[in-house]
Amino acid sequence: MPKVTVLPHETLCPEGLVFEAATGENLARALLAHGVKIEHACEFSCACATCHVIVEPEWFEKLD
């Protein structure tokens, strides 16, 4: 299973977090399930862009 690393964020995840998610799992839903309080104004319909993530450049090239 892929490992997700959430860097510390003052309000969303002050301590940071590392967890595993199932391959193909919705990342926004996985973050919420692990207590990371991300915004998701359009309920994951890809209409508002509030639930975006930032992938650091050295990891971005490793994504499919």
Side-chain angles (χ1 to χ4, degrees):
M1 284 203 280
K3 180 174 73 169
V4 177
T5 302
V6 180
L7 298 177
H9 181 278
E10 185 177 301
T11 56
L12 301 178
C13 189
E15 301 299 316
L17 178 68
V18 176
F19 66 91
E20 290 186 345
T23 300
E25 184 176 359
N26 179 293
L27 181 57
R29 292 183 198 277
L31 288 164
L32 289 168
H34 285 87
V36 182
K37 298 175 181 173
I38 61 167
E39 292 184 46
H40 53 289
C42 68
E43 295 300 318
F44 314 112
S45 66
C46 300
C48 68
T50 60
C51 63
H52 66 278
V53 297
I54 298 170
V55 178
E56 293 183 353
E58 66 267 18
W59 292 103
F60 186 80
E61 64 188 37
K62 296 178 183 185
L63 297 173
D64 289 341

